[in-house]
Amino acid sequence: MPLPQPCPAPPCCSRRCGAGGANSRQVRRMMGAATTRIGQQDPELVDRTGFSPEQINNLHKRFLQLSGNKDTISRENLNDIPALTYNPIKSQIIEAFFDKRNQHDSEVGSLEEITFEQFLMVMSHFRPPTLEMTAEEKQAMRKEKLRFLFNMHDTDGDGKITLEEYRKVVEELLSSGSIEQESAKEITDAAMLEVASTNVPHMGPEDFYEGITFEHFEQILKGLEMESRMHIRFLDTATVHCGKS
Amino acid sequence: MPSRMGARAPAGFARSFWELGLLLLLVFVLLQGSVFPYGADASSQHAKDGCSSTHEGKPNRTKKVFPVLSFEYDHIKTPFEVSLWVLFASLMKLGFHLVPRLSSIVPESCLLIVVGLLVGGLSKLIGESELPKLDSGNFFLVLLPPIILDAGYFLPIRPFMENLGTILMFAVVGTLWNAFFIGSVLFAVCQIPAAGLTHLGLLSCLLFGSIISAVDPVAVLAVFEEIHINELLHILVFGESLLNDAVTVVLYHLFEEFSAFGTVTVLDGFLGVISFLIVAFGGVLVGAIYGILAAFTSRFTSHMRVIEPLFVFVYSYIAYLSAELFHLSGIMALIACGAVMRPYVEANISHKSHTTIKYFLKMWSSVSETLIFILLGVATVGGPHNWNWIFVTSTVFLCLVARVIGVIGLTFIINKFRIVKLTTKDQFIVAYGGLRGAIAFSLGFLLEVEDEEMRHIFLTAIITVIFFTVFVQGMTIKPLVELLAVKKKQEAKRSINEEIHIQFLDHLLTGIEDICGHYGHHHWKDKMNRFNRKYVKKWLIAGERSKEPQLIAFYHKLEFKQAIQLVESGAGGKLSSALPSTVSIQNIQPKKPPPAPEPRERVLPQLPKSREEEIRKILRSNLQRTRQRLRSYNRHTLVADPYEEGLNDLLKKQKMFELEKKIKEMNNYLSVPVATSDSPTLRRARLASGRQTDFKPDEQQNGKKQTSDPQAYNVKPDPVDVPTIQVELASPQSPDSVNIMDEFRKDKEKDEDTGLTMKLPSGPSAPPRKQSEEEDAKDPQKLTRCLSDPGPSADEGEDDPFLP
């Protein structure tokens, strides 16, 4: 097993290093004191989140940076990230981290603070697919990612994205001025209409489409190949974190 | 690459083969093979007579009778022959599609080459020696640019940028590898005494390798457009073929230089690398500068719509020529130019101009492509050949091997960096899609080596490789794609939901990256976008469109297409089918205004028959009047009225149809309103009319695509056409229209509550309802066709509404 530290080409070597326990322990030793606490639960975390130990270490560093060396992160901590200032969907993103539904258990509601493990769980939704994945695994991954998006839209957690909720999403996307508000309404109406008409092609005039269910959500976004689209590159090697918090 | 079009072979078509030209014409007119030798002879005789008589007649003017009919072929020769060739090529293209089975099996490029071969063979048979060559000057200056511009302008930027690393890897490293591998192994082959090519030096072989290694965009486009492969693979192969131009140019010049002197130093290699960087980035820079200029120019064209498309073409062409002037990569300049200008130009120009650009580019590029393949075939017959079995077979073999090894090796490296890995299937298609084409041929043609024989050997080998790749690979790639079940391109274009989520995802991923604290490519893209929104757009896009968020722009585009759709279906006198299905807005909306319970017992007032007739008459006459006004012709503006009146008129017509329908339905108590007042188009129209108050109603000012809002015209108070207001559903000023609207509303409410459709046993307008349902079912397809990207075949009907 190659040591991750001397690895010269950043993302190449350790992506596939997998969940080797011995390896991760070595890494931890090198990463120094800050990561010792997290070290104990490492193998389990690797299994649960699918991140490599190096990635976990990097994320943990960032976690400590954000939380100010505390065990948990609160909304304010994330709110203070300067780079997020201009993000139109900032509040939704932050909210997603504190959403219990994104913790792989079926609870509904939101948390006040999240631990590193919970932070990792949320982050794990943004893992890229691997080459070795079977079609079913890909399908599962896609579903998981879509579920994450769906949860972001479905703010009240009733399993349906209503017109109101959807409109809010679009409004935030447009970071609305007055004209945009009007447009956002139209766009949402059109989008909702589209969802309704593709999923329930024949509705009587008195029927009411209450909101987008997850199945419909899946259906309407099936062209987007979410599994290969919704991911970011998690760093494998220890690098400088450019984002100050 | 000015030196590509060296002193060799001037004016390409302009050889005196006018007999052949006439011959072709005769072939078409008479459609009888046996006639043409006679025809050609006769006409050539005639031509000579004519020419000689005019020449003799000139000196002594005194005696000459005034020529009632004179004949001077030389005068029109070049353009005439060029036109004939273009006509011939177009007719050929047309002909293939009349034979449906043929074009589904054999790619068009193959057929065109075969036609070229036939033409070449025929003219050789009748002893016509001066064949039109695939002349390098014309090829690089006339035939190639339209194809590349078309590709660049409609380049799918998003996938291109997302895969830029991979594309560059294939284009630069892959091409280098191919060139050196093929060149050096060929040199080794040449050392075999049996080949009789021992005099070929290493540098000559490398020069040959650099010519033959580049994947050709023309050939790739021709084949890949027919197999509808998924976006990723398409952009990988196609992007490679575009970007490897810089490598080819540099390698070509380098080896050409070296092979003349015979020595290479380390310094030369170093300079080669520098030169490559300059050629590539210089090309992009030149293209980008002209692209920005074009965008800036298009900001001011709102008063001169007719010449808008010209700016796009001319700026791009000048960009190409400027790049060639400095030996930079013209192809990259064109690509950069097209890609840079497009978003801004599209926001500035009118919808008609956009359509014009689209169709002109498609037309030019397809004619160029056709001509290139035909001329390639002709040149094959006519060209000097030196068939060396060993050289030719080993070239073909090496091309295949080098490509396969290159792709596999490179993907192995690339996959370590890529997040979405390339599968084995992908690799196979990328390797198999490495078609060679006319660029290689033209480069080979331009070779300036002392040894004529060597050039002929090279040309023969190049042609063989081209034929092999275009015929064997081009013909088998389609079945192979199907056999391997490679993912195809999804036909349906983006829906509004998908667009929302694409944007949502962009922001989400940027946000997550920021939270993770490392600045990945989403972060930088976001930065760029913000910069673009904040500064660039303000300068390059006129008016308020510059501030329009992308999503709204997308929505407007979609809506506009829907409106056209509406018009189309309406112009045919059918029921409106603006909404893709029976689901209408009230199905999703009743939550806010909770299903109104009261009006159940309200009786719908019936319009008296006479009144209905009256309304109808008014509508008709109004329609006619607008039409008459439209008829006046102006050379400088496309229609009499400053803005897209043709469309407005049709929209109005459409509304009238709807209204008439409504009236009828109302009277029959049968209404199935398609919720006209709620349809996205009209709602948007209302919004726009609200917006319009912000600035002068002078439509010139906001004559951008966005305000190609169908309602814009109606908002303007029109003193002449008073009845127009009656048609105006969206404006409640006229008492009449208010009446009608009220009627509608009641009607609709009633409908909402009771679901009248169900109750109705059978009535005179029940069949239309059915019809509308059928149409609705069809509609999504039609709609998506309209939404899909350019491809003239994709949205044929788009232009029709503009015809007055």
Side-chain angles (χ1 to χ4, degrees):
Chain A
M1 273 292 212
L3 291 181
Q5 193 196 32
C7 178
C12 75
C13 71
S14 44
R15 184 161 299 279
R16 288 163 302 111
C17 285
N23 184 34
S24 58
R25 209 145 295 142
Q26 273 172 330
V27 175
R28 255 173 284 127
R29 218 175 299 136
M30 285 178 299
M31 287 301 176
T35 52
T36 40
R37 197 197 60 81
I38 214 66
Q40 267 74 54
Q41 9 175 315
D42 226 0
E44 189 212 345
L45 271 184
V46 167
D47 282 347
R48 283 190 57 189
T49 62
F51 285 120
S52 72
E54 297 84 359
Q55 289 170 335
I56 290 180
N57 269 316
N58 273 320
L59 284 174
H60 189 240
K61 264 188 172 171
R62 177 65 177 171
F63 183 84
L64 291 176
Q65 197 184 2
L66 287 178
S67 66
N69 283 322
K70 292 204 196 72
D71 283 348
T72 55
I73 274 186
S74 65
R75 286 185 173 77
E76 286 73 51
N77 293 138
L78 293 185
N79 243 325
D80 289 342
I81 301 176
L84 271 184
T85 321
Y86 296 111
N87 204 315
I89 56 166
K90 174 182 180 183
S91 62
Q92 277 175 302
I93 294 176
I94 293 177
E95 212 44 56
F97 275 89
F98 298 94
D99 194 330
K100 282 186 190 161
R101 285 171 296 175
N102 293 337
Q103 300 295 338
H104 289 288
D105 34 55
S106 44
E107 279 177 76
V108 183
S110 68
L111 301 155
E112 281 312 305
E113 294 191 317
I114 49 166
T115 63
F116 177 59
E117 197 181 326
Q118 286 164 325
F119 180 76
L120 268 191
M121 284 314 255
V122 176
M123 279 297 178
S124 69
H125 288 95
F126 295 94
R127 273 181 305 122
T130 56
L131 195 56
E132 296 83 32
M133 272 185 156
T134 61
E136 291 86 54
E137 280 174 316
K138 269 196 183 142
Q139 198 59 39
M141 184 170 221
R142 174 205 204 103
K143 216 166 182 147
E144 191 188 293
K145 285 173 194 279
L146 279 173
R147 178 63 84 176
F148 185 87
L149 280 183
F150 184 82
N151 288 345
M152 283 183 86
H153 298 336
D154 179 20
T155 38
D156 62 358
D158 64 350
K160 278 195 177 110
I161 305 174
T162 58
L163 192 65
E164 287 292 314
E165 286 169 335
Y166 208 15
R167 186 172 301 154
K168 211 164 159 289
V169 173
V170 176
E171 267 170 23
E172 259 170 51
L173 259 187
L174 296 175
S175 48
S176 8
S178 57
I179 293 176
E180 274 83 3
Q181 209 134 42
E182 192 60 32
S183 310
K185 190 169 155 339
E186 287 170 54
I187 292 174
T188 326
D189 286 350
M192 204 65 176
L193 205 62
E194 192 184 84
V195 181
S197 52
T198 34
N199 286 302
V200 196
H202 293 288
M203 273 182 128
E206 75 277 23
D207 292 341
F208 170 47
Y209 189 77
E210 290 166 33
I212 309 169
T213 62
F214 181 64
E215 283 69 38
H216 292 175
F217 189 70
E218 232 181 331
Q219 182 67 24
I220 203 81
L221 293 184
K222 68 169 186 284
L224 276 190
E225 298 185 345
M226 215 34 100
E227 71 271 14
S228 53
R229 219 182 252 268
M230 186 170 142
H231 62 71
I232 67 165
R233 191 185 286 278
F234 289 100
L235 291 186
D236 288 313
T237 46
T239 26
V240 221
H241 287 287
C242 8
K244 340 91 223 169
S245 71
Chain B
M1 304 144 272
S3 66
R4 268 181 184 172
M5 50 214 76
R8 199 178 305 277
F13 305 106
R15 293 268 175 261
S16 95
F17 68 106
W18 103 279
E19 291 98 321
L20 186 71
L22 259 194
L23 180 149
L24 293 176
L25 205 60
L26 279 172
V27 168
F28 289 122
V29 175
L30 303 174
L31 285 171
Q32 206 163 20
S34 59
V35 186
F36 67 79
Y38 165 73
D41 285 348
S43 57
S44 68
Q45 197 59 44
H46 185 58
K48 270 164 206 156
D49 286 348
C51 287
S52 59
S53 71
T54 45
H55 284 307
E56 279 167 20
K58 258 177 187 166
N60 39 352
R61 283 166 183 267
T62 45
K63 268 199 85 179
K64 216 183 95 183
V65 183
F66 180 75
V68 180
L69 180 67
S70 57
F71 190 96
E72 196 180 351
Y73 178 65
D74 283 339
H75 183 56
I76 56 150
K77 190 171 160 230
T78 315
F80 186 68
E81 280 166 4
V82 170
S83 309
L84 274 184
W85 270 101
V86 171
L87 180 71
F88 173 65
S90 312
L91 284 174
M92 277 296 127
K93 205 170 169 85
L94 203 66
F96 294 141
H97 292 278
L98 295 179
V99 193
R101 291 282 302 279
L102 193 65
S103 53
S104 68
I105 302 167
V106 190
E108 208 179 78
S109 45
C110 303
L111 290 173
L112 291 173
I113 290 182
V114 171
V115 169
L117 288 174
L118 288 179
V119 171
L122 268 176
S123 56
K124 210 163 201 176
L125 262 176
I126 61 166
E128 168 64 59
S129 55
E130 298 212 52
L131 277 167
K133 299 206 177 66
L134 185 56
D135 171 60
S136 301
N138 281 324
F139 175 75
F140 283 114
L141 289 183
V142 179
L143 292 177
L144 191 59
I147 300 177
I148 303 299
L149 178 63
D150 178 46
Y153 192 77
F154 295 111
L155 188 75
I157 296 186
R158 206 184 167 101
F160 183 79
M161 292 310 282
E162 273 167 12
N163 298 297
L164 189 63
T166 312
I167 293 170
L168 277 177
M169 193 83 172
F170 280 129
V172 178
V173 185
T175 308
L176 278 177
W177 150 258
N178 270 290
F180 281 98
F181 179 79
I182 295 173
S184 45
V185 178
L186 259 188
F187 175 68
V189 170
C190 288
Q191 299 313 303
I192 301 169
L197 291 168
T198 38
H199 57 283
L200 274 185
L202 176 63
L203 282 173
S204 306
C205 285
L206 284 174
L207 177 60
F208 177 74
S210 70
I211 293 172
I212 201 70
S213 60
V215 176
D216 185 79
V218 182
V220 166
L221 263 184
V223 168
F224 270 59
E225 234 158 49
E226 284 179 33
I227 59 174
H228 305 295
I229 201 129
N230 68 61
E231 209 175 31
L232 172 71
L233 284 179
H234 186 271
I235 201 68
L236 283 186
V237 179
F238 179 54
E240 177 198 345
S241 73
L242 289 176
L243 296 193
N244 64 20
D245 179 62
V247 184
T248 316
V249 170
V250 173
L251 278 184
Y252 179 80
H253 286 311
L254 222 56
F255 288 129
E256 199 177 31
E257 194 88 350
F258 296 159
S259 61
F261 293 104
T263 51
V264 192
T265 60
V266 182
L267 180 69
D268 289 330
F270 178 70
L271 287 179
V273 173
I274 300 275
S275 157
F276 161 72
L277 291 177
I278 289 175
V279 165
F281 287 105
V284 171
L285 190 72
V286 168
I289 289 172
Y290 279 101
I292 289 170
L293 276 178
F296 190 66
T297 311
S298 73
R299 195 173 185 247
F300 305 102
T301 52
S302 56
H303 300 283
M304 243 311 166
R305 292 264 182 234
V306 266
I307 52 168
E308 264 171 356
L310 202 63
F311 287 119
V312 171
F313 305 138
V314 173
Y315 271 116
S316 319
Y317 193 51
I318 293 179
Y320 181 78
L321 295 180
S322 309
E324 296 277 287
L325 177 69
F326 293 106
H327 286 229
L328 304 175
S329 164
I331 290 184
M332 291 185 73
L334 259 189
I335 299 285
C337 186
V340 165
M341 76 162 86
R342 187 185 180 199
Y344 308 110
V345 167
E346 269 192 1
N348 281 329
I349 61 176
S350 73
H351 187 263
K352 271 182 209 169
S353 305
H354 173 60
T355 313
T356 311
I357 290 175
K358 192 160 75 179
Y359 277 75
F360 255 81
L361 280 180
K362 293 285 169 206
M363 185 188 77
W364 267 334
S365 62
S366 75
V367 166
S368 288
E369 188 189 282
T370 313
L371 272 176
I372 286 174
F373 283 118
I374 290 186
L375 291 180
L376 198 64
V378 173
T380 308
V381 178
H385 289 296
N386 191 332
W387 184 271
N388 183 313
W389 270 104
I390 294 180
F391 192 79
V392 167
T393 45
S394 52
T395 306
V396 172
F397 179 72
L398 281 173
C399 278
L400 289 178
V401 171
R403 179 86 189 158
V404 170
I405 296 178
V407 168
I408 291 176
L410 285 176
T411 16
F412 181 74
I413 302 169
I414 290 166
N415 264 352
K416 302 212 158 176
F417 296 93
R418 275 184 76 90
I419 288 183
V420 183
K421 318 279 186 211
L422 294 178
T423 61
T424 323
K425 270 184 211 166
D426 294 340
Q427 291 175 40
F428 175 78
I429 295 296
V430 171
Y432 208 75
L435 307 175
R436 315 299 207 273
I439 289 186
F441 177 79
S442 297
L443 284 178
F445 200 80
L446 276 178
L447 269 185
E448 289 179 42
V449 283
E450 306 85 67
D451 190 356
E452 275 296 306
E453 188 210 346
M454 188 169 90
R455 206 179 78 134
H456 295 163
I457 291 177
F458 283 179
L459 268 183
T460 311
I462 290 170
I463 286 181
T464 318
V465 171
I466 293 173
F467 275 41
F468 182 83
T469 53
V470 170
F471 277 85
V472 177
Q473 288 174 229
M475 275 165 80
T476 49
I477 195 164
K478 200 171 181 181
L480 276 173
V481 163
E482 262 146 41
L483 195 74
L484 290 171
V486 179
K487 220 186 291 164
K488 291 277 189 91
K489 187 163 85 186
Q490 57 194 72
E491 287 306 325
K493 233 6 201 196
R494 266 194 242 152
S495 66
I496 182 88
N497 278 293
E498 285 177 334
E499 180 66 25
I500 289 175
H501 280 90
I502 286 173
Q503 304 225 352
F504 188 83
L505 217 56
D506 274 348
H507 292 303
L508 175 63
L509 294 179
T510 314
I512 297 293
E513 266 184 3
D514 289 337
I515 288 178
C516 278
H518 97 264
Y519 291 171
H521 96 256
H522 293 288
H523 178 88
W524 293 115
K525 202 165 76 182
D526 189 59
K527 273 245 160 89
M528 288 281 288
N529 277 339
R530 214 144 2 107
F531 176 77
N532 184 22
R533 259 204 314 275
K534 230 172 159 181
Y535 305 107
V536 185
K537 274 192 176 171
K538 208 189 291 172
W539 282 100
L540 296 186
I541 299 180
E544 50 150 9
R545 283 215 66 173
S546 58
K547 290 180 220 104
E548 196 172 52
Q550 202 189 340
L551 186 59
I552 294 185
F554 174 85
Y555 178 63
H556 287 167
K557 228 191 260 177
L558 190 115
E559 210 172 35
F560 190 73
K561 277 176 175 155
Q562 245 169 10
I564 289 174
Q565 186 86 31
L566 194 84
V567 171
E568 271 181 349
S569 59
K574 288 177 246 155
L575 261 177
S576 118
S577 52
L579 300 175
S581 83
T582 56
V583 184
S584 64
I585 199 86
Q586 65 251 44
N587 288 123
I588 61 166
Q589 223 156 21
K591 213 170 198 179
K592 284 204 297 156
E598 21 79 46
R600 187 157 299 192
E601 62 287 326
R602 209 155 68 186
V603 183
L604 206 66
Q606 186 166 13
L607 273 180
K609 256 287 187 264
S610 57
R611 175 102 181 89
E612 181 200 327
E613 205 45 53
E614 196 184 328
I615 293 177
R616 207 167 283 178
K617 223 195 265 165
I618 293 170
L619 293 179
R620 283 229 184 86
S621 64
N622 188 36
L623 178 66
Q624 255 158 21
R625 213 172 307 158
T626 355
R627 270 201 177 152
Q628 274 162 6
R629 238 187 312 128
L630 258 176
R631 236 163 246 156
S632 65
Y633 171 78
N634 185 327
R635 223 178 107 186
H636 302 292
T637 53
L638 290 170
V639 284
D641 247 82
Y643 197 53
E644 323 246 23
E645 172 135 357
L647 182 67
N648 285 337
D649 178 42
L650 277 159
L651 261 184
K652 209 186 298 167
K653 194 168 121 199
Q654 158 68 16
K655 255 181 284 135
M656 282 172 212
F657 270 114
E658 265 170 43
L659 198 58
E660 276 190 65
K661 189 80 209 165
K662 284 274 148 65
I663 293 163
K664 213 162 106 204
E665 279 173 352
M666 226 181 325
N667 288 336
N668 294 331
Y669 281 92
L670 200 236
S671 72
V672 188
V674 203
T676 322
S677 55
D678 271 334
S679 92
T681 326
L682 291 185
R683 268 183 299 110
R684 172 165 145 51
R686 245 183 290 142
L687 166 68
S689 62
R691 224 184 272 170
Q692 203 117 36
T693 53
D694 292 347
F695 38 83
K696 291 178 285 173
D698 172 19
E699 280 160 12
Q700 299 245 353
Q701 186 202 347
N702 45 20
K704 292 133 290 179
K705 212 165 47 180
Q706 173 252 336
T707 42
S708 55
D709 160 26
Q711 296 288 313
Y713 167 77
N714 290 335
V715 177
K716 208 164 62 174
D718 194 339
V720 187
D721 298 314
V722 187
T724 321
I725 301 167
Q726 281 188 315
V727 195
E728 181 49 62
L729 287 175
S731 77
Q733 287 100 322
S734 135
D736 260 340
S737 76
V738 172
N739 260 343
I740 296 172
M741 287 298 292
D742 278 353
E743 239 83 296
F744 281 159
R745 242 167 247 148
K746 283 172 215 155
D747 194 38
K748 206 200 317 156
E749 277 159 17
K750 183 157 191 215
D751 196 62
E752 246 175 295
D753 298 333
T754 50
L756 257 183
T757 3
M758 305 286 124
K759 289 205 306 200
L760 224 245
S762 72
S765 17
R769 161 77 175 150
K770 279 248 172 65
Q771 190 198 351
S772 93
E773 260 178 352
E774 274 166 28
E775 256 179 65
D776 290 343
K778 262 183 282 167
D779 213 27
Q781 300 168 1
K782 241 169 135 193
L783 186 65
T784 50
R785 222 194 307 142
C786 250
L787 292 179
S788 72
D789 228 19
S793 54
D795 41 12
E796 225 73 74
E798 199 180 302
D799 269 3
D800 301 347
F802 295 126
L803 305 171

